[in-house]
């Protein structure tokens, strides 16, 4: 029989990314032993896959205080607080040194395949809360391992489960069959092989967030390069064009985030991209030349493209938590008490409020979803948020509820008003209290005088939405 959970058992942290490693650092600071299990071959494995992308948060917001405390005795040098690293910089200059400082507490090549209570499946009530958690792990060589834990912090993120191109949340018909021409990541156009794939080609970019902005800006750079003549983007938006389409601009308290939206705006204003609004992809078909034709739910068929970059967000993988009693919002798949704070259907004029362990708790005591995974399908997560989450969670596990309940973070405003969900219909476009009203969804070509946005689509004078 399994012994009851005791403080001698470790806290298992799933994922050695920024939030998971910060959780481990906070636990160590509290005198609690963590055990971090990472599916990838190295710490920050997911971050390394977008090593070519530059963050819009500066170093000052990317280093956790408890992690820095742990790193200090190793001779680690803090990067310039005002500089903006790439994903590769973040992994090599911070995440890997932090994992090294944690030492054997971090195990790589170990994928979590299930979490439960020892001797209790999801159904059983009797004695449940006194039993330790059991975490099943499969290593890269196929061997399996069972870990016992006093608590579980799931910081596995959402990187492995991107959203599809299909407008219904399901893959569009034919999307899987077109996998050779569809990617769900921002391509690294500095890689010669990847660059050749997009140079001189017509590419559809589906999405309206920071990743889509990045892809549009990079494709525009390619179009202006000597080897990129003929490169063209088609920007597919599910909503209309409004004052907040390109983010907060100069009103964003993270200047690099605002500049990213302005770079995307410049890309379309200069004619490097055509935009199609109010378009929800229903099917992906091939023409006689093997190019892809996107078909909308309304029957519209777009001109053929050579490639598709689908950047429609991410969603949490909950499959290995099926034996755990989670309390998740039915829309966002985020903790029920956190969901109202981050719901993109309602959230406006700023970003989500900081929150503590209480908003992250579930019916199953002792299990927490943190980091990107805690936000479910909401897109507004910042590293700062994850660091505050795990500070509070570590304090709660240690029994210091005074510190756990205290919120020690102020998040930067986005400069954008109107939740993402408010722009899905023409009626909702006009309902935005901030005055950021978009015209009825329609296909337009930006970058020519005839296609310039109507005055009603401009940002209000108070700067809430930016431009």
């Amino acid at each position: 029989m399994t012994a009851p959970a005791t403080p001698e058992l470790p806290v298992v942290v799933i994922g050695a990314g920024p939030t998971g490693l910060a959780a481990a650092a906070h636990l160590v600071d509290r005198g609690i032993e963590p055990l971090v299990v990472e599916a990838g071959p190295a710490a920050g494995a997911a971050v390394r896959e977008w090593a070519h992308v530059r963050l819009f948060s500066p170093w000052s917001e990317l280093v956790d205080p408890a992690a820095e405390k742990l790193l200090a005795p190793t001779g680690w040098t803090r990067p310039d607080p005002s500089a903006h690293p790439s994903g590769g910089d973040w992994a090599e200059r911070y995440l890997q040194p932090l994992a090294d400082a944690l030492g054997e507490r971090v195990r790589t090549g170990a994928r979590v395949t299930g979490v439960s209570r020892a001797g209790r499946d999801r159904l059983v009530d009797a004695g449940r809360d006194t039993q330790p958690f059991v975490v099943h792990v499969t290593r890269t060589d196929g061997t399996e391992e069972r870990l016992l834990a006093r608590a579980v912090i799931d910081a596995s993120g959402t990187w492995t489960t991107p959203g599809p191109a299909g407008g219904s949340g399901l893959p569009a018909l034919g999307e899987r069959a077109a996998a050779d021409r569809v990617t769900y990541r921002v391509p690294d156009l500095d890689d010669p092989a990847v660059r050749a794939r997009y140079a001189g080609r017509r590419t559809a970019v589906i999405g309206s967030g920071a990743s889509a902005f990045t892809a549009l800006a990079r494709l525009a750079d390619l179009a202006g390069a000597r080897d990129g003549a003929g490169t063209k983007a088609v920007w597919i938006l599910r909503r209309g064009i409004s004052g907040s389409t390109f983010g907060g601009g100069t009103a964003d308290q993270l200047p690099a985030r605002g500049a990213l939206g302005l770079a995307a705006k410049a890309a379309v204003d200069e004619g490097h991209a055509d935009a199609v609004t109010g378009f929800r992809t229903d099917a992906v078909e091939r023409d006689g030349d093997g190019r892809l034709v996107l078909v909308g739910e309304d029957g519209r068929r777009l001109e053929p493209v050579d490639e598709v970059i689908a950047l429609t967000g991410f969603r949490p993988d909950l499959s290995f938590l099926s034996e755990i009693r989670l309390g998740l919002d039915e829309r966002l798949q985020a903790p029920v008490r956190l969901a109202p704070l981050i719901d993109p259907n309602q959230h406006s004029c700023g970003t989500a409020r900081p929150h503590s362990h209480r908003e992250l708790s579930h019916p199953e005591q002792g299990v927490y979803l943190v980091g990107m995974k805690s936000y479910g399908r909401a897109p507004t997560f910042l590293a700062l948020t994850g660091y505050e989450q795990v500070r509070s969670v570590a304090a709660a596990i240690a029994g210091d509820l005074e510190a756990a309940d205290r919120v020690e973070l102020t998040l930067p405003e986005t400069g954008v008003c109107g939740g993402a969900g408010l722009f899905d219909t023409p009626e909702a476009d006009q309902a935005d209290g901030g005055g950021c009203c978009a015209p009825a969804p329609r296909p337009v070509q930006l970058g020519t005088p005839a296609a310039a946005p109507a005055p009603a689509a401009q940002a209000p004078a108070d700067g809430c939405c930016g431009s």
Side-chain angles (χ1 to χ4, degrees):
M1 296 183 64
T2 305
T6 65
E8 287 71 33
L9 289 175
V11 173
V12 168
V13 179
I14 306 174
T19 307
L21 293 175
H26 280 277
L27 290 167
V28 169
D29 195 47
R30 289 273 178 180
I32 299 172
E33 194 65 17
L35 177 56
V36 183
V37 287
E38 164 61 46
V47 175
R48 294 173 192 273
E49 291 192 24
W50 47 270
H52 57 289
V53 177
R54 191 160 301 280
L55 287 89
F56 49 67
S57 294
W59 273 114
S60 61
E61 299 179 1
L62 296 172
V63 175
D64 176 81
E68 185 170 11
K69 181 179 178 181
L70 191 63
L71 284 165
T74 70
W76 178 77
T77 302
R78 183 187 179 102
D80 178 359
S82 64
H84 293 77
S86 67
D89 295 333
W90 201 17
E92 290 300 326
R93 300 180 64 186
Y94 170 65
L95 298 179
Q96 189 60 56
L98 179 54
D100 293 342
L102 288 164
E104 294 183 355
R105 299 182 180 101
V106 179
R107 299 184 187 177
T108 57
R111 181 177 299 279
V112 172
T113 57
V115 180
S116 187
R117 290 281 191 176
R120 306 289 190 274
D121 63 19
R122 184 188 183 104
L123 179 65
V124 178
D125 289 335
R128 186 177 193 86
D129 290 346
T130 64
Q131 291 297 100
F133 290 96
V134 58
V135 180
H136 283 202
V137 173
T138 300
R139 302 192 67 84
T140 51
D141 62 3
T143 59
E144 295 179 307
E145 185 178 5
R146 180 184 293 113
L147 307 173
L148 295 180
R150 61 184 287 193
V152 174
I153 299 176
D154 183 357
S156 58
T158 58
W159 177 254
T160 61
T161 46
S168 63
L170 301 173
L173 297 179
E175 182 175 341
R176 292 190 179 94
D180 60 317
R181 290 178 179 252
V182 181
T183 185
Y184 302 89
R185 307 287 190 265
V186 176
D188 181 3
L189 298 182
D190 292 329
D191 181 318
V194 176
R195 190 176 183 88
R197 176 175 174 175
Y198 295 94
R201 305 291 184 88
R202 181 177 170 87
T203 299
V205 177
I206 305 175
S208 58
S211 294
F213 292 166
T214 301
L216 289 169
R218 294 300 301 275
L219 288 170
D221 289 342
L222 177 57
R226 181 179 303 175
D227 61 340
T231 303
K232 188 76 172 183
V234 181
W235 189 21
I236 311 297
L237 295 119
R238 295 173 181 174
R239 62 195 195 192
I241 298 292
S242 77
S244 66
T245 296
F246 297 97
T250 56
D252 196 318
Q253 290 183 5
L254 286 176
R257 181 171 57 187
L260 181 60
L262 294 177
K265 186 177 188 298
V268 293
D269 284 348
E270 292 167 6
H272 296 303
D274 296 337
V276 179
T277 63
F279 189 92
R280 295 178 179 273
T281 306
D282 185 62
V284 180
E285 300 177 354
R286 290 188 188 263
D287 68 4
D289 297 324
R291 303 176 78 199
L292 303 183
V293 176
L294 302 184
V295 183
E297 292 179 350
D298 57 4
R300 279 184 289 169
R301 301 173 65 86
L302 303 185
E303 293 183 16
V305 297
D306 300 289
E307 301 286 341
V308 172
I309 304 174
L311 302 169
T312 59
F314 295 85
R315 53 191 60 179
D317 176 9
L318 302 170
S319 60
F320 60 86
L321 299 175
S322 61
E323 293 304 316
I324 291 296
R325 298 175 178 180
L326 300 178
L328 298 176
D329 178 76
E330 67 275 10
R331 292 168 298 175
L332 298 187
Q333 296 178 297
V336 290
R337 281 180 278 191
L338 174 61
L341 306 180
I342 61 174
D343 187 352
N345 289 290
Q346 304 296 330
H347 190 58
S348 63
C349 280
T351 188
R353 296 201 307 272
H355 46 274
S356 72
H357 70 108
R358 297 193 183 277
E359 287 81 11
L360 298 168
S361 63
H362 294 274
E364 193 82 66
Q365 297 180 24
V367 63
Y368 301 92
L369 274 58
V370 299
M372 282 286 294
K373 191 163 187 176
S374 72
Y375 269 44
R377 300 193 182 199
T380 49
F381 184 79
L382 291 173
L384 280 173
T385 301
Y387 296 160
E388 173 64 8
Q389 287 179 339
V390 296
R391 182 205 62 79
S392 175
V393 166
I397 293 173
D400 186 354
L401 293 184
E402 180 182 356
D405 289 338
R406 187 171 60 245
V407 176
E408 300 180 354
L409 175 65
T410 300
L411 290 170
E413 295 287 327
T414 63
V416 175
C417 65
L422 296 179
F423 296 99
D424 285 349
T425 64
E427 293 80 7
D429 290 342
Q430 303 301 322
D432 180 21
C436 302
C437 302
R442 65 187 188 279
V444 297
Q445 179 173 345
L446 302 179
T448 62
Q458 300 302 309
D462 63 9
C464 170
C465 291
S467 59

